[in-house]
Amino acid sequence: MGRQLGVYFTKEDCQNFLDFAKTTGNVVALPWKSPTSDFAPIETVDDKNLGFFLFNRGISSNLVIRHVAQQSYYAIDSLQSSVIEFSGSSIRDRTMFPGRIWAEFTFLIKERTALLPKEPEFSKWYDILANWIKKHSERVVWTDPIQRKESIVGYAGKGAQKFYDSGGRLSINPPRAKQSENLLGRILYHGNEPYAAYLHDIARRRLAGPKERIQLTCQLCGDKFYYGSKNVDHRVRVEDSTIYCPKVCPGCGEKRKLHGGVYPPTHSCGWDVMRSETYRQRDYAPIDKNELLILMRYLGVEPGSPLV
């Protein structure tokens, strides 16, 4: 299984990250491809090499290189090699697009019959680099327009922060023909009030025991669940005080059965999620009035006021 961390890094941010990576061992930065099998290490980051592989010779000798005959160049097999892929951000029309660090921690044996884990030190090295990024960058968050919940989409370096403060925008998706205003992230700076409230809310939900949480009742299927829990079946849409229930068919209101751990997108009544003309919004139901008052007091919201 692989892991990745989204980053918003300018050229200067990439150089700072590379300089740190080299202090963690016998580390070299290798380009995506090379005209020969001898990959010349990258020492200085510029606009042409914002992306590269990090290879720590002190923890592994596992570097698999393959020849791409049609284009006549050599490439590093990142799935089989013990390398960390890094890519900085691109900028277009005053919009910065995310890069990432990514690594795969298993490899396929020659017989292609099983996956084996790569070196334990390789995973620890990845964590060192990821933690450095988190410590020296600011969180970039995106607000779900439906649930009004914030999620971390990446980390912005100092250069990216200057770009953002000067009026630049941060996209949460790779470049496209036209960017949606709904798919833009924002930097949540340390020390400000929204950031403190964000951390407080996360801590409260994680530390609260089941008895201290607010139990809600789904008006469609009758199930009970705790607000803020990692419930895969029910979600609270706070802007209109409703509960989403995937257990009930939006077309006819009958309960649906799980198939392979998910609720099927179609139903015997003819409802089909891919055909909008059959869709009738019956999978959201209002929160019970008494439970809503308890939930609002739990969230510190005055009765009669919107939840958000």
Side-chain angles (χ1 to χ4, degrees):
M1 294 293 291
R3 301 204 305 270
Q4 71 173 3
L5 189 70
V7 298
Y8 294 85
F9 275 15
T10 61
K11 178 174 61 177
E12 292 75 16
D13 296 326
C14 294
Q15 185 65 56
N16 291 336
F17 173 70
L18 176 57
D19 292 341
F20 168 75
K22 290 181 178 180
T23 67
T24 61
N26 186 8
V27 178
V28 292
L30 304 177
W32 299 127
K33 58 184 180 180
S34 171
T36 66
S37 59
D38 296 327
F39 283 68
I42 296 173
E43 301 296 338
T44 304
V45 178
D46 56 37
D47 294 331
K48 295 181 179 180
N49 59 13
L50 290 177
F52 45 80
F53 290 112
L54 291 171
F55 182 52
N56 192 337
R57 295 166 174 162
I59 63 175
S60 177
S61 59
N62 177 31
L63 185 65
V64 180
I65 297 174
R66 56 186 177 86
H67 182 242
V68 182
Q70 292 181 342
Q71 284 78 29
S72 298
Y73 66 80
Y74 292 84
I76 294 174
D77 190 336
S78 58
L79 295 177
Q80 294 292 92
S81 304
S82 298
V83 295
I84 295 176
E85 175 191 301
F86 174 82
S87 57
S89 302
S90 60
I91 299 175
R92 190 181 70 191
D93 298 331
R94 294 294 297 165
T95 300
M96 180 178 292
F97 299 93
R100 68 172 185 173
I101 63 167
W102 170 86
E104 174 62 47
F105 298 96
T106 60
F107 69 97
L108 193 64
I109 61 177
K110 292 182 178 180
E111 294 78 9
R112 296 184 176 273
T113 57
L115 284 172
L116 296 179
K118 295 179 182 178
E119 304 87 350
E121 294 79 7
F122 177 62
S123 178
K124 295 178 182 178
W125 180 49
Y126 173 90
D127 291 335
I128 291 174
L129 299 184
N131 289 335
W132 183 90
I133 290 176
K134 294 178 181 179
K135 182 178 179 180
H136 294 83
S137 306
E138 296 285 359
R139 299 187 182 197
V140 178
V141 298
W142 177 70
T143 303
D144 188 316
I146 297 178
Q147 299 188 41
R148 301 294 182 184
K149 290 184 178 180
E150 291 180 338
S151 57
I152 300 172
V153 296
Y155 292 83
K158 295 186 180 302
Q161 294 171 36
K162 294 178 181 178
F163 171 83
Y164 178 78
D165 291 337
S166 66
R169 309 188 307 170
L170 306 180
S171 173
I172 69 171
N173 281 337
R176 293 179 179 176
K178 184 178 181 180
Q179 294 301 310
S180 170
E181 294 291 341
N182 294 327
L183 296 177
L184 296 177
R186 62 185 179 88
I187 296 179
L188 200 59
Y189 288 103
H190 290 76
N192 61 18
E193 292 183 4
Y195 183 80
Y198 173 69
L199 294 181
H200 176 76
D201 182 63
I202 291 178
R204 181 190 64 192
R205 295 187 186 188
R206 289 183 177 178
L207 296 176
K211 294 182 180 180
E212 300 171 348
R213 295 177 183 172
I214 302 303
Q215 190 177 65
L216 301 176
T217 305
C218 175
Q219 302 299 307
L220 292 176
C221 70
D223 285 0
K224 295 182 180 296
F225 65 98
Y226 290 105
Y227 174 77
S229 65
K230 295 181 179 179
N231 189 291
V232 296
D233 293 330
H234 294 90
R235 299 191 301 271
V236 178
R237 191 164 69 177
V238 294
E239 66 266 25
D240 58 359
S241 304
T242 58
I243 297 173
Y244 166 72
C245 176
K247 292 185 176 182
V248 175
C249 172
C252 64
E254 292 184 0
K255 284 190 175 181
R256 296 189 286 171
K257 295 182 179 180
L258 280 171
H259 290 281
V262 298
Y263 292 96
T266 60
H267 192 250
S268 58
C269 70
W271 176 78
D272 187 343
V273 71
M274 303 303 294
R275 297 173 55 200
S276 58
E277 65 269 16
T278 69
Y279 181 75
R280 295 187 293 275
Q281 189 79 3
R282 294 181 181 174
D283 51 355
Y284 278 90
I287 302 176
D288 178 84
K289 291 183 178 179
N290 293 329
E291 293 180 348
L292 178 60
L293 291 175
I294 297 174
L295 175 61
M296 295 182 75
R297 285 197 293 267
Y298 173 76
L299 296 175
V301 180
E302 293 293 331
S305 303
L307 289 180
V308 293

